[in-house]
Amino acid sequence: MNDQRLPTGSFQSRAFTSAEDRVGFIPQIPEITKDLRSLVLELTPEQLDTPYRQGGWTPKQVIHHMADNDMNAYIRFKRALTEDVPLAGSYREDLWAELSDYRDLPVEDSILFLEALHYRFVILLNGLQPDDFQRKLQTQVLGEITLDTALQRLIWHNRHHMAQISHLLGRDRVDSYKGGF
């Protein structure tokens, strides 16, 4: 693992996403919480509060961040489906990670939140038409992207953070989190 900050590498979207690709992407979403819960079961309370790298977040902060990020992604997705190229608002994730809920909330609460959110996300995605995935949103980091790219980014983002947590355990699970991206 050469770069502990980006253990799965930088995000690279597929230039063209087919309906078959989406059929492979969408079922990966509920697997995120299953894999995350399995990973967390291996962590001691001390490990949950130990940064995965020098200057990095703790697994507890990472897990709460994953819930916040996916909540924001879901809202951005719905806005892109109902508005013309909306500006996807950003948030100060570094400051959010310092708030009391990141410190005091058990990680299981965020995993349960992710499960419910991912359930809704999958229902939403499965109800879309192929053309819906070509709708766009404007982001500060990636510029104008399609919902196809946003879907890929959602999955990559979660795998990227699970690989960071895995690093704390001394395991190299990076390949299992890349999933074809």
Side-chain angles (χ1 to χ4, degrees), residues 2-181:
N2 295 336
D3 185 348
Q4 294 174 2
R5 189 171 175 276
L6 292 170
T8 59
S10 297
F11 173 68
Q12 301 290 323
S13 69
R14 294 185 183 183
F16 174 77
T17 305
S18 68
E20 292 78 28
D21 291 332
R22 274 183 230 107
V23 167
F25 292 153
I26 294 170
Q28 292 179 47
I29 295 171
E31 296 301 314
I32 292 166
T33 51
K34 290 177 188 171
D35 293 344
L36 183 59
R37 183 172 278 119
S38 173
L39 192 58
V40 168
L41 285 174
E42 300 179 49
L43 296 172
T44 66
E46 294 77 27
Q47 286 174 314
L48 280 170
D49 288 321
T50 301
Y52 71 92
R53 66 173 175 84
Q54 181 82 22
W57 286 347
T58 67
K60 183 187 262 188
Q61 288 172 307
V62 169
I63 293 164
H64 294 317
H65 164 72
M66 289 169 68
D68 284 344
N69 184 78
D70 287 11
M71 172 179 56
N72 278 287
Y74 181 73
I75 291 167
R76 289 180 194 126
F77 227 92
K78 290 187 87 164
R79 287 190 61 212
L81 290 167
T82 60
E83 301 172 29
D84 189 31
V85 192
L87 176 61
S90 64
Y91 64 100
R92 290 288 310 268
E93 59 188 45
D94 58 330
L95 297 179
W96 285 33
E98 299 301 322
L99 296 173
S100 62
D101 59 335
Y102 276 51
R103 182 182 56 250
D104 300 335
L105 193 68
V107 294
E108 180 62 20
D109 289 3
S110 282
I111 295 171
L112 288 169
F113 178 79
L114 278 167
E115 281 178 327
L117 180 62
H118 289 171
Y119 178 77
R120 286 189 64 167
F121 220 139
V122 168
I123 288 174
L124 175 69
L125 295 170
N126 284 331
L128 299 180
Q129 298 300 312
D131 286 350
D132 292 331
F133 287 93
Q134 297 312 304
R135 293 191 60 92
K136 296 180 179 178
L137 63 137
Q138 181 72 32
T139 72
Q140 292 179 348
V141 174
L142 299 174
E144 190 172 285
I145 62 170
T146 65
L147 291 182
D148 268 329
T149 299
L151 173 60
Q152 294 172 52
R153 176 93 161 92
L154 173 83
I155 295 166
W156 172 86
H157 181 264
N158 282 295
R159 288 189 173 146
H160 145 79
H161 282 307
M162 287 189 289
Q164 290 173 331
I165 295 169
S166 180
H167 178 71
L168 180 66
L169 292 167
R171 297 200 174 87
D172 188 5
R173 297 184 183 176
V174 172
D175 289 336
S176 67
Y177 295 128
K178 284 188 179 176
F181 288 109

